[in-house]
Amino acid sequence: MKIRGIITVPPDKSISHRAIIFSSIADKSSHIYNLLEGDDVIRTLNIMKSCGIRFEGDFKHLQVHPTTIKEPLQPLYCGNSGTSARLLTGLFSSQKGLFVLYGDESLSRRPMRRVTEPLLQMGANILGRNKGKNLPIAIMGKKLKGIEYSSHIASAQVKSAVILASLFANSPTIYTEPFKSRDHTERMLTYMGIKIKIKGNTIKVFPGKPSATEFFIPGDFSSAAFFITFGVIHPDAELTIKDIGLNPTRTQFLHTLQKMGANIELIPKGSDIEPYGDIKVYSSQLKGVEITSSEVPRMIDELPLIALLGVFANGITAVRGAKELRYKESDRISSTVSELKKMGAEIQELPDGFVVKGTGRLHLSELNSHKDHRIAMMLAIASLCTEEGKIPTIQGEEWVKISYPNFFETLKGVVK
Ligand code: S3P
């Protein structure tokens, strides 16, 4: 079996959510080109529609016509989407009316306190299930005040929720995070004319109304990461992935791969609101690597792939300081370790990560995605790298629709 191809991956999920939300509160109509047609983004779009925002066109080119956010008639369904739930909690805290957010089983278990805590300090009115820890939550929007807040977790979702609330507050907000998380919100809003001062891991957000703009959304680096991994671990691979977002707060995975000795070429092509370019990957001889807490936020969604890379690298690979992985669509430490173990990996679970020994082989097994899109995709790549070299039916593989609806078609297309 040979792996060859020139592919594109779906548009960036984080940027897609933000383009919809920020254009919905802009001064005039905006244009979004290349929006992700994945389940999570569709949740955000439907919620904004329920709040009176008008959309015209399709996912290739969507026009957004903003208006004052209206109190919705019904509770708002976030499905599996943490980004919708967290960012919109920030936005609705500052709008007039009652907003009730709820999610699916997985999202209903994920922590919301991290978002409501700073918002409550800003004066928000929020009630939530399980003593305020989980969805469903009910928000009675009101005028908020600016605060100075130091978060103990590096989360772009929390930071973005606070930034959204700050836009409508009566004074600026200063927000500090322990390590820098992805900065799509800061970039986009600055581009839309909002004043945000950035100094290290601290930002100061000034209230204001974003100016309408045009968004061109690049390919999702986190989706590309599955093919980058496939290319470097497969013994006969040559892949080009085109037009991927290369925001430095997202691409720590590339630096880690370089440390592991991967044969990768980066071809920067330009910079719009976000830098983007092509990546070429080739079969590589890898060595083990250690990942620590400061690197985690900039590669949070790629960490399950590090476990798979570790199986095919010489020596030991370890991820530590990544307890956040336990609060994703599944507990990604436990789901990664348990599924790769079924395939024969020598991998051990840690409270905040995992350690894997580079044995260089896996075998096919009955696998389960744990209803998590990224675990389903990691396991499909892992299965193709077994001696049998084929993808079994993975229980819950349909969850790829969250971020990468045509993943299996693209994957089959590069196997020659
Ligand atoms: C996201 C931020 C990350 C990431 C998620 C999308 C975003 O979550 O895991 O897939 O769009 O802001 P945290 O910021 O909570 O770590």
Side-chain angles (χ1 to χ4, degrees):
M1 176 173 53
K2 279 200 296 202
I3 310 305
R4 294 284 185 278
I6 300 172
I7 60 167
T8 55
V9 296
D12 189 282
K13 179 159 81 70
S14 291
I15 300 177
S16 294
H17 283 291
R18 286 161 172 81
I20 296 169
I21 299 172
F22 302 163
S23 56
S24 295
I25 54 169
D27 57 349
K28 286 191 295 244
S29 298
S30 289
H31 296 260
I32 307 176
Y33 296 93
N34 200 32
L35 187 70
L36 171 62
E37 195 169 357
D39 270 14
D40 276 15
V41 174
I42 293 171
R43 303 293 174 209
T44 292
L45 195 60
N46 287 342
I47 291 176
M48 296 320 296
K49 277 184 196 164
S50 307
C51 296
I53 309 299
R54 208 164 54 78
F55 298 93
E56 229 185 310
D58 55 22
F59 287 81
K60 284 276 147 254
H61 176 193
L62 191 71
Q63 277 186 60
V64 185
H65 304 296
T67 178
T68 308
I69 287 178
K70 291 197 184 73
E71 183 178 59
L73 291 179
Q74 286 179 336
L76 304 165
Y77 186 52
C78 301
N80 195 242
S81 175
T83 308
S84 313
R86 270 73 174 258
L87 268 61
L88 293 174
T89 297
L91 174 65
F92 294 145
S93 292
S94 61
Q95 305 301 310
K96 270 201 194 133
L98 176 74
F99 302 86
V100 178
L101 294 170
Y102 71 110
D104 70 4
E105 202 193 314
S106 149
L107 186 58
S108 302
R109 270 186 266 114
R110 293 175 66 186
M112 287 300 288
R113 179 82 87 206
R114 52 183 57 198
V115 178
T116 56
E117 196 180 279
L119 296 173
L120 291 171
Q121 284 189 27
M122 295 177 83
N125 245 328
I126 308 174
L127 287 176
R129 186 179 65 84
N130 194 12
K131 299 190 180 117
K133 290 196 197 103
N134 301 106
L135 293 174
I137 62 169
I139 304 159
M140 187 53 119
K142 60 182 275 219
K143 187 81 192 166
L144 303 178
K145 58 176 191 285
I147 53 165
E148 194 163 339
Y149 189 79
S150 198
S151 175
H152 57 277
I153 43 172
S155 159
Q157 293 181 348
V158 177
K159 177 173 62 177
S160 303
V162 174
I163 295 175
L164 273 161
S166 307
L167 295 181
F168 299 88
N170 63 4
S171 59
T173 284
I174 299 174
Y175 181 92
T176 304
E177 52 186 347
F179 303 112
K180 198 161 180 71
S181 63
R182 62 189 68 183
D183 66 358
H184 303 303
T185 299
E186 297 91 304
R187 277 174 186 262
M188 257 192 205
L189 286 175
T190 302
Y191 193 81
M192 296 173 87
I194 295 295
K195 187 168 162 197
I196 303 180
K197 281 191 186 159
I198 303 172
K199 202 170 172 198
N201 299 340
T202 298
I203 56 170
K204 184 171 183 182
V205 187
F206 292 78
K209 197 172 192 53
S211 308
T213 191
E214 292 195 332
F215 304 91
F216 297 88
I217 304 182
D220 195 318
F221 181 81
S222 300
S223 298
F226 296 99
F227 287 94
I228 298 174
T229 302
F230 193 22
V232 297
I233 61 182
H234 193 278
D236 188 357
E238 200 180 317
L239 280 178
T240 301
I241 311 150
K242 292 184 76 73
D243 300 323
I244 310 163
L246 294 173
N247 178 319
T249 61
R250 288 286 296 280
T251 51
Q252 181 62 30
F253 184 65
L254 289 181
H255 302 295
T256 299
L257 280 173
Q258 274 154 356
K259 259 197 251 171
M260 296 179 87
N263 194 354
I264 304 179
E265 264 173 62
L266 234 172
I267 305 139
K269 281 168 79 173
S271 189
D272 182 26
I273 305 178
E274 300 270 348
Y276 65 95
D278 298 346
I279 298 180
K280 285 189 170 182
V281 289
Y282 306 91
S283 312
S284 306
Q285 281 289 325
L286 301 175
K287 52 180 189 285
V289 74
E290 296 233 347
I291 286 159
T292 54
S293 49
S294 65
E295 298 157 285
V296 163
R298 282 172 288 131
M299 58 190 298
I300 185 74
D301 291 339
E302 288 68 67
L303 290 173
L305 288 169
I306 296 290
L308 176 57
L309 286 159
V311 172
F312 291 95
N314 284 322
I316 301 290
T317 292
V319 171
R320 294 191 177 80
K323 189 140 188 255
E324 271 299 301
L325 280 182
R326 295 205 182 270
Y327 311 116
K328 296 295 176 187
E329 287 83 331
S330 69
D331 172 342
R332 284 189 182 152
I333 296 179
S334 152
S335 47
T336 298
V337 170
S338 63
E339 297 307 309
L340 287 178
K341 257 192 186 155
K342 286 187 199 165
M343 302 182 79
E346 291 190 26
I347 182 165
Q348 191 200 329
E349 183 167 341
L350 303 175
D352 61 347
F354 45 77
V355 181
V356 49
K357 191 170 154 193
T359 51
R361 49 175 194 278
L362 291 174
H363 57 73
L364 285 185
S365 180
E366 276 186 22
L367 299 170
N368 189 324
S369 72
H370 298 246
K371 299 182 178 172
D372 184 330
H373 55 133
R374 300 201 198 280
I375 299 299
M377 293 187 271
M378 185 272 286
L379 293 174
I381 302 288
S383 299
L384 280 173
C385 294
T386 57
E387 237 168 64
E388 299 91 330
K390 59 177 190 200
I391 319 174
T393 303
I394 299 167
Q395 204 186 327
E397 64 187 26
E398 66 279 7
W399 284 90
V400 301
K401 67 186 188 298
I402 293 294
S403 61
Y404 202 151
N406 62 345
F407 171 74
F408 287 104
E409 289 80 63
T410 306
L411 186 56
K412 281 171 196 153
V414 299
V415 176
K416 311 283 178 198

